[in-house]
Amino acid sequence: MRRTSQIAFFAFFLLIPYLNILRYDSYGHQLFLFGMPWHLSISLKTISSNPNVSSLIIAREFFLKAILPWLGVLAFFPVMGLFFGRFFCGWLCPEGLLFEFADWLTLRVLGRRSIYRRRSTDPEVNNRRRWPYVVLAIFFYALFPPVIGILLSGFFIPPEKILEYIKTGSFSFGLKSAAVGVTIYLIITSVFVRHQFCKYVCAAGLMQMLFGWFRRGSLRVAFLRQQSDRCTDCRACERVCFMDVKPRSPKKNINCVNCGECIIACRKELGMQGGLFHFKFGKDLKTENDSTIPDTGKVKAV
Ligand code: SF4
Ligand code: SF4
């Protein structure tokens, strides 16, 4: 379910310029929004030649056509944060999907989830054949980033031009730059940075984090602390967390992206009906995640 939504959103994001939802034609210097050319209803020529066009009308047009839509776009992440916390990061973000795939691949190639972590002691991980994943990694990083770069160039280069370049095999400078630039960016972020980017750099993540943090009623993963005596301390919930959150901790961690992987991991350990985590809007102080309810001893405040 989560993978499906991540892949679907990634595909949608790549298709935005090709569906004419939003793109800037750098050749014709024209912004297109939902298939329509976007511009102020007063042209620069009219402004300079007609003294009757008051600065008030120009300011109004500019506010309605440029500032207001942009504020609407910017409001998306704070509003998401208010209601769903960092849900977008865990369920929709294309970069999040890429970073999780990089974690998955690194574990199979190097026996560790990232180059900064210790090797796994899990025999299943260590006894696995590595070479098929090495081949997969080589193919993936050789093909995927440049293809993504070419597709993303659709935001600035008309799609029919891109098709023409591909057909003739003679790429423009802009297309080459997009392919090379995106390749360098994706390799650096997915090999060396990964979820540290989500924690410390991404502005969209930061906005969701702050607004989700301020609002008590936002979506979160709750731990059934009053049933913590059923916890086997297997730590599966911590191992699956790619954001390095300790989900049993009484303190809410602002890095949690509400992915629900800890919910699934605990259900695998304790049975479908017996998991100790669940999604919840808001915090019930009397029963969940409440540090005033004593730990049973099994569950450390990690
Ligand atoms: S604590 Fe659970 S829901 Fe939050 S990021 Fe970690 S695995 Fe995902
Ligand atoms: S909460 Fe569940 S997954 Fe986490 S250590 Fe306890 S039993 Fe294991």
Side-chain angles (χ1 to χ4, degrees):
M1 176 80 171
R2 195 167 73 85
R3 284 289 172 258
T4 310
S5 75
Q6 284 175 310
I7 292 167
F9 187 81
F10 193 10
F12 169 71
F13 179 70
L14 291 176
L15 287 174
I16 284 175
Y18 303 94
L19 297 174
N20 241 340
I21 295 172
L22 173 70
R23 68 183 179 86
Y24 178 72
D25 181 346
S26 57
Y27 291 31
H29 303 289
Q30 177 64 60
L31 181 70
F32 287 90
L33 207 55
F34 295 106
M36 307 285 285
W38 180 98
H39 43 70
L40 294 175
S41 49
I42 308 162
S43 70
L44 284 173
K45 207 173 157 194
T46 313
I47 293 168
S48 56
S49 63
N50 189 347
N52 294 328
V53 178
S54 76
S55 54
L56 205 62
I57 295 174
I58 298 167
R60 188 197 65 191
E61 284 298 311
F62 193 70
F63 178 76
L64 290 177
K65 295 253 178 100
I67 296 177
L68 206 58
W70 185 234
L71 284 179
V73 172
L74 282 184
F76 174 76
F77 290 108
V79 171
M80 278 292 288
L82 280 176
F83 291 96
F84 304 107
R86 295 191 69 172
F87 181 85
F88 178 89
C89 306
W91 287 74
L92 298 170
C93 177
E95 279 215 284
L97 175 65
L98 177 67
F99 295 162
E100 283 185 60
F101 178 72
D103 274 1
W104 178 87
L105 203 52
T106 313
L107 185 66
R108 277 146 187 86
V109 172
L110 299 179
R112 63 183 78 186
R113 214 168 68 193
S114 86
I115 54 174
Y116 305 113
R117 286 174 181 262
R118 287 204 208 108
R119 281 183 71 88
S120 170
T121 51
D122 185 347
E124 199 192 319
V125 170
N126 290 318
N127 295 337
R128 201 179 269 141
R129 278 192 303 175
R130 301 248 161 104
W131 67 264
Y133 298 102
V134 174
V135 174
L136 175 64
I138 292 168
F139 272 99
F140 179 78
Y141 282 105
L143 293 176
F144 181 81
V147 169
I148 295 299
I150 290 169
L151 287 173
L152 287 178
S153 68
F155 280 99
F156 300 100
I157 301 173
E160 59 277 7
K161 281 273 173 205
I162 297 175
L163 203 63
E164 193 185 309
Y165 293 144
I166 293 170
K167 271 187 192 161
T168 57
S170 68
F171 286 13
S172 69
F173 176 75
L175 203 59
K176 281 183 203 159
S177 307
V180 173
V182 171
T183 300
I184 293 171
Y185 172 79
L186 288 185
I187 288 178
I188 290 176
T189 52
S190 68
V191 173
F192 300 105
V193 187
R194 281 190 213 167
H195 293 102
Q196 304 307 313
F197 180 88
C198 313
K199 283 184 195 172
Y200 305 114
V201 182
C202 179
L206 188 71
M207 282 192 272
Q208 292 171 82
M209 184 159 72
L210 285 177
F211 284 83
W213 177 252
F214 286 136
R215 186 162 177 265
R216 185 176 282 267
S218 65
L219 184 70
R220 64 198 62 214
V221 169
F223 177 56
L224 294 172
R225 187 156 295 278
Q226 79 280 22
Q227 295 182 30
S228 59
D229 56 333
R230 292 198 292 109
C231 173
T232 60
D233 203 21
C234 66
R235 299 178 87 99
C237 52
E238 293 168 23
R239 282 197 303 274
V240 293
C241 184
F242 49 83
M243 294 299 282
D244 296 327
V245 173
K246 310 285 186 199
R248 292 178 293 167
S249 170
K251 289 203 177 83
K252 184 182 175 188
N253 190 314
I254 52 176
N255 288 320
C256 176
V257 294
N258 286 337
C259 68
E261 290 300 322
C262 51
I263 300 178
I264 297 168
C266 193
R267 283 181 185 165
K268 273 190 194 150
E269 171 71 8
L270 298 179
M272 275 308 282
Q273 305 305 321
L276 291 170
F277 298 102
H278 65 151
F279 280 121
K280 189 175 191 311
F281 283 98
K283 180 174 172 181
D284 182 348
L285 288 175
K286 291 205 163 37
T287 55
E288 292 158 359
N289 284 358
D290 185 355
S291 54
T292 62
I293 296 174
D295 286 336
T296 59
K298 265 184 185 169
V299 180
K300 298 166 202 133
V302 280

